[in-house]
Amino acid sequence: MLTLNQHGPLRGELTVPGDKSISHRAVMFGSLAKGTTKVRDILDSADVGATLDCFGRLGVSIERTWEKPQDVIIHGAGMRGLYPSAGRVVLYTQNSGTTTRILSGILAPQPFTSFLTGDESVNRRPMKRVIDPLTKMGASIVSMNQDGCAPLRIDGRALHGIDWKSAVASAQVKSAVLCAGLYADAATSFTEPALSRDHTERMLRAFGADVKNDGLTASVRPANELYSPSEIKVPGDISSAAYFIAAALLVPGSDIVLHNVGINPTRDGIIRAARAMGGNIEILNETDTAEPYADLHITASSLHGTVIEKDMIPTLIDELPVIAVMACAASSETVIRDAAELKVKESDRIAAMTENLRAMGADITPAEDGFIIRGGKALHGCAVKSFKDHRIAMSMAVASLLADGETTLVDENCVAISYPSFFDDLSRLQV
Ligand code: S3P
């Protein structure tokens, strides 16, 4: 249990750890490529550790470098070089939905049998959304408890190209289908109702794959090999930066700079939402790389309410819990809708944030697909829970900075899923 207290301004500079989504993909595609890939500034966290462990068990050799623990060198096995030592493999994906879903697409065409299982949270998350398109491609994937969730048994099969229309906007599902499509007998396309993060498309192109984006459709042509671009630089994770963006906007007198934050337009919704609420964020030193990044200068601001909906949702889906905290401090009402996906993340994030913020005194009404928050009510410190969900833990740490009295947070260690040094970095900015 951690005790947190209301605190004065945040000041100074910080480089947040590497982007989780990009780190997973760098390990996956580096493993499947021919050649050696140096991944610079990879996220050193439990979730990415799960992906590294899985590819180790699939026979890929991965080294940590002497220079920095955040750099790894992957000796790619080639698209057809994954080789589980026992002829079949059991992979434990821990808490990582991204690992579980994208790996399903990579394993479906391999010439061996795999079993994929995760922790209690992963084994509750919907997998039908990947099982259905992959089965249509010819894969053999079985939910072993017949509940549409992991554990999954995957028996490798030859795959066919398909044109899939997904009911959900999901980069994990899109990535699973595109990865499977690399091994198919014809082109594969994936169309989603709103554009989800496009890291897979960008990175597969860097590995030489024929991948295109056309509006809401991503497509891939079969490949014989992926070729390593030698080096991949992982920008800072905007989802991790979001907690400091929110804290600096909300705590009077704050003034911080966050360095090298990824600002991919399919991920930058937090910046747009914060600005729409009156938040003062300057984007400095923007780079024009495959995955753009920049420094963000944030100063304390008076926020008002806004509406967050439709196409904007996938660009800030993981930031909605901390945006709910920002909404509590805003001067008017904030409506968040079209975000039913929040219910099937590491926890039910609508229920978790409603319970915690209500306990602190916020005026929040949950809905099936979001929340309505009437801002301006003072928050009080109390006992809150992380629900073993890293994003809930970090969002409640931000709420505690505004609440009078003491806030206690249980199961705070789950921040290690995406940001092991979160509490240390927060203290470093507290002057
Ligand atoms: C991710 C995609 C999102 C996001 C998750 C990471 C990814 O999930 O919430 O934290 O790396 O592809 P969905 O694809 O389910 O929307």
Side-chain angles (χ1 to χ4, degrees), residues 10 14-20 43 235-249 256-263 267-268 270-271 274 281 294-298 318-319 322 326 391 394 398 418-419 422 425-426 429:
L10 280 76
L14 181 70
T15 302
V16 294
D19 185 279
K20 180 156 81 71
L43 172 62
D237 197 326
I238 192 166
S239 298
S240 298
Y243 304 102
F244 300 107
I245 294 175
L249 290 174
I256 64 168
V257 175
L258 302 173
H259 291 291
N260 300 340
V261 179
I263 52 162
R267 290 284 301 283
D268 68 354
I270 175 71
I271 299 177
I281 304 178
D295 298 335
L296 303 180
H297 176 209
I298 302 119
D318 292 336
E319 290 64 76
V322 79
M326 287 161 56
R391 305 225 179 270
M394 292 185 274
V398 174
S418 64
Y419 198 161
F422 171 73
D425 285 355
L426 180 59
L429 291 178

Side-chain angles (χ1 to χ4, degrees), residues 20-21 24-25 98 101-102 125 129 169-173 175 197 199 317-318 341 345-346 349 391:
K20 180 156 81 71
S21 294
H24 281 300
R25 287 155 173 84
T98 307
R101 294 205 177 107
I102 305 184
R125 297 181 67 183
R129 53 182 66 193
S170 165
Q172 294 176 355
V173 180
S175 303
R197 63 194 67 189
H199 304 304
I317 185 75
D318 292 336
E341 279 294 297
K345 294 294 179 188
E346 286 83 329
R349 290 180 175 163
R391 305 225 179 270

Side-chain angles (χ1 to χ4, degrees), residues 17-21 23-24 43-51 92-99 119 121-122 125 237 240 243 318 346 349 386-394 411-423:
D19 185 279
K20 180 156 81 71
S21 294
S23 297
H24 281 300
L43 172 62
D44 188 5
S45 82
D47 256 23
V48 176
T51 295
Y92 180 55
T93 59
Q94 302 180 33
N95 189 249
S96 177
T98 307
T99 311
D119 68 5
S121 153
V122 155
R125 297 181 67 183
D237 197 326
S240 298
Y243 304 102
D318 292 336
E346 286 83 329
R349 290 180 175 163
S386 71
F387 296 84
K388 299 193 176 145
D389 179 336
H390 54 135
R391 305 225 179 270
I392 302 296
M394 292 185 274
D411 289 326
E412 77 280 7
N413 293 336
C414 61
V415 300
I417 296 297
S418 64
Y419 198 161
S421 61
F422 171 73
F423 292 109

Side-chain angles (χ1 to χ4, degrees), residues 31-33 55 58-60 75-84 110-112 183 224-225:
S31 295
L32 294 178
F55 280 90
L58 288 163
V60 180
H75 298 280
M79 274 179 66
R80 287 157 184 87
L82 298 182
Y83 190 71
Q110 304 298 333
F112 51 81
Y183 293 85
N224 289 321
E225 282 298 350

